[in-house]
Each structure stands twice: as C-alpha cells, then as structure tokens.
Short mmCIF file of all heavy atoms in Angstrom, two decimals:
data_model
loop_
_atom_site.label_atom_id
_atom_site.label_comp_id
_atom_site.label_asym_id
_atom_site.label_seq_id
_atom_site.Cartn_x
_atom_site.Cartn_y
_atom_site.Cartn_z
N ASP A 1 136.39 -66.59 -146.57
CA ASP A 1 136.02 -67.95 -146.00
C ASP A 1 135.40 -68.79 -147.03
O ASP A 1 134.23 -69.16 -146.95
CB ASP A 1 135.26 -67.78 -144.77
CG ASP A 1 136.07 -67.80 -143.50
OD1 ASP A 1 136.78 -68.80 -143.24
OD2 ASP A 1 136.04 -66.84 -142.74
N SER A 2 136.12 -68.97 -148.06
CA SER A 2 135.57 -69.54 -149.32
C SER A 2 134.86 -70.92 -149.23
O SER A 2 133.95 -71.29 -149.96
CB SER A 2 136.63 -69.65 -150.44
OG SER A 2 137.20 -68.41 -150.66
N ALA A 3 135.34 -71.75 -148.20
CA ALA A 3 134.82 -73.09 -148.15
C ALA A 3 133.69 -73.33 -147.17
O ALA A 3 133.40 -74.44 -146.79
CB ALA A 3 136.00 -73.98 -147.68
N THR A 4 132.89 -72.33 -146.82
CA THR A 4 131.94 -72.38 -145.78
C THR A 4 130.55 -72.52 -146.27
O THR A 4 129.60 -72.23 -145.51
CB THR A 4 131.96 -71.15 -144.85
OG1 THR A 4 131.87 -69.90 -145.62
CG2 THR A 4 133.33 -71.16 -144.12
N GLN A 5 130.33 -73.07 -147.45
CA GLN A 5 128.99 -73.36 -147.89
C GLN A 5 128.29 -74.21 -146.89
O GLN A 5 127.05 -73.99 -146.54
CB GLN A 5 128.98 -74.04 -149.22
CG GLN A 5 127.61 -74.27 -149.81
CD GLN A 5 127.60 -75.16 -151.16
OE1 GLN A 5 128.52 -75.91 -151.36
NE2 GLN A 5 126.64 -74.98 -151.95
N TYR A 6 128.93 -75.27 -146.46
CA TYR A 6 128.44 -76.13 -145.36
C TYR A 6 129.44 -76.16 -144.25
O TYR A 6 130.64 -76.55 -144.43
CB TYR A 6 128.23 -77.60 -145.95
CG TYR A 6 127.35 -77.66 -147.13
CD1 TYR A 6 127.74 -77.99 -148.35
CD2 TYR A 6 125.91 -77.36 -147.01
CE1 TYR A 6 126.95 -78.12 -149.47
CE2 TYR A 6 125.10 -77.46 -148.13
CZ TYR A 6 125.62 -77.77 -149.34
OH TYR A 6 124.84 -77.81 -150.38
N VAL A 7 128.93 -75.78 -143.08
CA VAL A 7 129.94 -75.58 -141.92
C VAL A 7 129.20 -75.76 -140.69
O VAL A 7 127.95 -75.55 -140.54
CB VAL A 7 130.62 -74.16 -142.07
CG1 VAL A 7 129.53 -73.09 -141.87
CG2 VAL A 7 131.74 -74.04 -141.06
N GLN A 8 129.96 -76.20 -139.59
CA GLN A 8 129.35 -76.36 -138.32
C GLN A 8 128.95 -74.93 -137.75
O GLN A 8 129.56 -73.91 -138.17
CB GLN A 8 130.34 -76.89 -137.32
CG GLN A 8 130.69 -78.38 -137.64
CD GLN A 8 131.88 -78.93 -136.82
OE1 GLN A 8 132.70 -78.21 -136.43
NE2 GLN A 8 131.91 -80.25 -136.67
N LEU A 9 127.93 -74.83 -136.97
CA LEU A 9 127.43 -73.62 -136.34
C LEU A 9 127.27 -72.58 -137.46
O LEU A 9 127.80 -71.52 -137.45
CB LEU A 9 128.46 -73.08 -135.33
CG LEU A 9 128.69 -74.07 -134.11
CD1 LEU A 9 129.67 -73.31 -133.10
CD2 LEU A 9 127.49 -74.45 -133.38
N ALA A 10 126.47 -73.05 -138.44
CA ALA A 10 126.35 -72.23 -139.65
C ALA A 10 125.86 -70.86 -139.45
O ALA A 10 126.19 -69.94 -140.26
CB ALA A 10 125.53 -73.03 -140.73
N PHE A 11 125.00 -70.56 -138.54
CA PHE A 11 124.39 -69.31 -138.27
C PHE A 11 125.58 -68.29 -138.09
O PHE A 11 125.45 -67.15 -138.50
CB PHE A 11 123.47 -69.29 -137.11
CG PHE A 11 122.73 -68.01 -136.86
CD1 PHE A 11 121.56 -67.75 -137.52
CD2 PHE A 11 123.19 -67.14 -135.92
CE1 PHE A 11 120.86 -66.56 -137.35
CE2 PHE A 11 122.58 -65.91 -135.72
CZ PHE A 11 121.37 -65.60 -136.40
N PHE A 12 126.54 -68.67 -137.38
CA PHE A 12 127.76 -67.75 -137.13
C PHE A 12 128.82 -67.94 -138.12
O PHE A 12 129.58 -66.98 -138.38
CB PHE A 12 128.30 -68.08 -135.76
CG PHE A 12 127.32 -67.90 -134.60
CD1 PHE A 12 127.02 -68.94 -133.80
CD2 PHE A 12 126.56 -66.71 -134.46
CE1 PHE A 12 126.11 -68.88 -132.71
CE2 PHE A 12 125.61 -66.64 -133.39
CZ PHE A 12 125.41 -67.72 -132.56
N SER A 13 129.01 -69.08 -138.66
CA SER A 13 130.22 -69.45 -139.45
C SER A 13 130.02 -69.45 -140.99
O SER A 13 130.96 -69.37 -141.72
CB SER A 13 130.74 -70.84 -139.08
OG SER A 13 131.14 -70.81 -137.70
N LYS A 14 128.76 -69.62 -141.53
CA LYS A 14 128.60 -69.71 -142.91
C LYS A 14 128.79 -68.29 -143.52
O LYS A 14 128.22 -67.33 -143.19
CB LYS A 14 127.14 -70.18 -143.19
CG LYS A 14 126.79 -70.35 -144.70
CD LYS A 14 125.40 -70.87 -144.90
CE LYS A 14 125.05 -71.02 -146.40
NZ LYS A 14 123.69 -71.47 -146.56
N CYS A 15 129.64 -68.24 -144.55
CA CYS A 15 129.93 -67.05 -145.40
C CYS A 15 129.70 -67.19 -146.83
O CYS A 15 129.72 -66.11 -147.49
CB CYS A 15 131.44 -66.65 -145.08
SG CYS A 15 131.76 -66.34 -143.37
N GLN A 16 129.47 -68.40 -147.28
CA GLN A 16 129.23 -68.59 -148.72
C GLN A 16 128.05 -69.58 -148.97
O GLN A 16 127.86 -70.47 -148.21
CB GLN A 16 130.44 -69.10 -149.46
CG GLN A 16 131.66 -68.28 -149.30
CD GLN A 16 131.57 -66.85 -149.89
OE1 GLN A 16 130.77 -66.65 -150.82
NE2 GLN A 16 132.20 -65.86 -149.25
N ALA A 17 127.33 -69.32 -150.05
CA ALA A 17 126.22 -70.19 -150.38
C ALA A 17 126.59 -71.02 -151.66
O ALA A 17 125.82 -71.91 -152.10
CB ALA A 17 124.91 -69.40 -150.66
N LEU A 18 127.66 -70.73 -152.23
CA LEU A 18 128.20 -71.48 -153.46
C LEU A 18 129.41 -72.31 -153.12
O LEU A 18 130.16 -71.97 -152.19
CB LEU A 18 128.60 -70.49 -154.58
CG LEU A 18 127.56 -69.98 -155.49
CD1 LEU A 18 126.56 -69.15 -154.73
CD2 LEU A 18 128.21 -69.11 -156.63
N SER A 19 129.49 -73.49 -153.72
CA SER A 19 130.62 -74.33 -153.50
C SER A 19 131.82 -73.69 -154.14
O SER A 19 131.76 -72.71 -154.93
CB SER A 19 130.38 -75.72 -154.10
OG SER A 19 130.30 -75.61 -155.45
N ILE A 20 133.03 -74.21 -153.84
CA ILE A 20 134.26 -73.76 -154.53
C ILE A 20 134.13 -73.78 -156.01
O ILE A 20 134.49 -72.82 -156.72
CB ILE A 20 135.44 -74.51 -154.01
CG1 ILE A 20 135.71 -74.32 -152.49
CG2 ILE A 20 136.71 -74.12 -154.82
CD1 ILE A 20 136.32 -72.96 -152.16
N GLY A 21 133.68 -74.93 -156.52
CA GLY A 21 133.52 -75.11 -157.96
C GLY A 21 132.51 -74.13 -158.55
O GLY A 21 132.82 -73.51 -159.70
N GLU A 22 131.46 -73.81 -157.84
CA GLU A 22 130.43 -72.85 -158.36
C GLU A 22 130.97 -71.43 -158.33
O GLU A 22 130.71 -70.63 -159.14
CB GLU A 22 129.25 -72.99 -157.45
CG GLU A 22 128.39 -74.19 -157.72
CD GLU A 22 127.27 -74.41 -156.72
OE1 GLU A 22 127.34 -73.88 -155.62
OE2 GLU A 22 126.27 -75.05 -157.08
N GLN A 23 131.80 -71.12 -157.31
CA GLN A 23 132.41 -69.81 -157.22
C GLN A 23 133.43 -69.56 -158.40
O GLN A 23 133.39 -68.57 -159.00
CB GLN A 23 133.22 -69.71 -155.88
CG GLN A 23 132.38 -69.58 -154.64
CD GLN A 23 133.22 -69.71 -153.43
OE1 GLN A 23 134.30 -69.25 -153.29
NE2 GLN A 23 132.63 -70.41 -152.40
N LEU A 24 134.17 -70.60 -158.75
CA LEU A 24 135.05 -70.45 -159.89
C LEU A 24 134.32 -70.26 -161.16
O LEU A 24 134.62 -69.48 -161.99
CB LEU A 24 136.04 -71.66 -159.90
CG LEU A 24 136.99 -71.75 -158.79
CD1 LEU A 24 137.76 -73.09 -158.87
CD2 LEU A 24 137.86 -70.62 -158.59
N ASP A 25 133.23 -71.10 -161.38
CA ASP A 25 132.42 -71.00 -162.59
C ASP A 25 131.81 -69.57 -162.59
O ASP A 25 131.60 -69.06 -163.75
CB ASP A 25 131.36 -72.01 -162.58
CG ASP A 25 131.88 -73.33 -162.98
OD1 ASP A 25 132.91 -73.45 -163.67
OD2 ASP A 25 131.21 -74.40 -162.61
N ALA A 26 131.47 -69.06 -161.46
CA ALA A 26 130.78 -67.67 -161.38
C ALA A 26 131.76 -66.54 -161.70
O ALA A 26 131.31 -65.40 -161.92
CB ALA A 26 130.21 -67.49 -160.03
N GLY A 27 133.09 -66.78 -161.77
CA GLY A 27 134.09 -65.80 -162.02
C GLY A 27 134.96 -65.31 -160.94
O GLY A 27 135.86 -64.54 -161.05
N PHE A 28 134.76 -65.84 -159.66
CA PHE A 28 135.67 -65.45 -158.59
C PHE A 28 136.97 -66.21 -158.76
O PHE A 28 137.17 -67.29 -159.14
CB PHE A 28 135.01 -65.98 -157.29
CG PHE A 28 133.79 -65.22 -156.95
CD1 PHE A 28 132.49 -65.75 -157.11
CD2 PHE A 28 133.86 -64.02 -156.34
CE1 PHE A 28 131.35 -65.05 -156.80
CE2 PHE A 28 132.65 -63.27 -156.02
CZ PHE A 28 131.43 -63.82 -156.23
N ARG A 29 138.03 -65.38 -158.53
CA ARG A 29 139.42 -65.81 -158.83
C ARG A 29 140.28 -65.64 -157.59
O ARG A 29 141.51 -65.95 -157.68
CB ARG A 29 140.00 -65.01 -160.02
CG ARG A 29 139.30 -65.25 -161.29
CD ARG A 29 139.47 -66.69 -161.71
NE ARG A 29 138.69 -67.06 -162.95
CZ ARG A 29 137.47 -67.57 -163.04
NH1 ARG A 29 136.90 -67.90 -161.88
NH2 ARG A 29 136.87 -67.78 -164.21
N TYR A 30 139.84 -65.17 -156.46
CA TYR A 30 140.59 -65.10 -155.15
C TYR A 30 139.91 -66.02 -154.23
O TYR A 30 138.67 -65.81 -153.88
CB TYR A 30 140.61 -63.68 -154.73
CG TYR A 30 141.26 -63.44 -153.35
CD1 TYR A 30 142.51 -62.89 -153.19
CD2 TYR A 30 140.60 -63.84 -152.20
CE1 TYR A 30 143.12 -62.67 -151.96
CE2 TYR A 30 141.17 -63.57 -150.90
CZ TYR A 30 142.43 -62.99 -150.79
OH TYR A 30 142.95 -62.84 -149.55
N LEU A 31 140.54 -67.07 -153.71
CA LEU A 31 139.97 -67.97 -152.76
C LEU A 31 140.67 -67.82 -151.37
O LEU A 31 141.93 -67.84 -151.34
CB LEU A 31 140.12 -69.38 -153.21
CG LEU A 31 139.30 -69.76 -154.43
CD1 LEU A 31 139.54 -71.32 -154.71
CD2 LEU A 31 137.84 -69.47 -154.32
N ASP A 32 139.89 -67.61 -150.34
CA ASP A 32 140.35 -67.44 -148.97
C ASP A 32 140.28 -68.87 -148.32
O ASP A 32 139.21 -69.23 -147.89
CB ASP A 32 139.42 -66.38 -148.27
CG ASP A 32 139.86 -66.21 -146.82
OD1 ASP A 32 140.97 -66.64 -146.36
OD2 ASP A 32 138.98 -65.62 -146.08
N ILE A 33 141.33 -69.51 -148.27
CA ILE A 33 141.40 -70.90 -147.81
C ILE A 33 142.05 -71.02 -146.40
O ILE A 33 143.11 -70.60 -146.11
CB ILE A 33 142.36 -71.78 -148.69
CG1 ILE A 33 141.82 -71.71 -150.19
CG2 ILE A 33 142.40 -73.22 -148.28
CD1 ILE A 33 140.42 -72.19 -150.38
N ARG A 34 141.14 -71.42 -145.41
CA ARG A 34 141.48 -71.53 -144.00
C ARG A 34 141.65 -72.99 -143.64
O ARG A 34 140.69 -73.78 -143.74
CB ARG A 34 140.46 -70.90 -143.12
CG ARG A 34 139.97 -69.45 -143.61
CD ARG A 34 141.04 -68.40 -143.35
NE ARG A 34 140.57 -67.09 -143.79
CZ ARG A 34 139.97 -66.23 -142.91
NH1 ARG A 34 139.79 -66.51 -141.64
NH2 ARG A 34 139.65 -65.03 -143.32
N LEU A 35 142.90 -73.37 -143.26
CA LEU A 35 143.15 -74.82 -142.97
C LEU A 35 143.40 -75.06 -141.52
O LEU A 35 143.87 -74.31 -140.74
CB LEU A 35 144.36 -75.23 -143.74
CG LEU A 35 144.31 -75.14 -145.30
CD1 LEU A 35 145.68 -75.55 -145.88
CD2 LEU A 35 143.21 -75.99 -145.86
#
C-alpha cells in the first residue's frame, strides 16, 4: 500500500510514513499501487 503516507482513517489505513519519492530514494523498487 505504497501511497498511504497520508490517507483517510489513517489509524486503520496508513501503511507507510515515506512518500513515493522518498521510498524510491531509499531503495525500494516494488510499488504496490491501489487505484
């Protein structure tokens, strides 16, 4: 759930503390994109 740095009902839904750009800079190369 790569895009959940900021998300509604965050207590239940937030799965990341880094933005997509920060994740890529950090070395993550698999993005779970839910549309």
Side-chain angles (χ1 to χ4, degrees):
D1 265 303
S2 303
T4 54
Q5 180 188 29
Y6 303 111
V7 63
Q8 296 171 331
L9 302 182
F11 185 83
F12 304 121
S13 297
K14 181 178 178 179
C15 298
Q16 302 301 329
L18 276 63
S19 68
I20 294 289
E22 289 171 333
Q23 291 170 36
L24 296 176
D25 283 336
F28 291 100
R29 297 293 178 264
Y30 174 108
L31 296 182
D32 178 14
I33 302 299
R34 313 288 183 96
L35 298 179

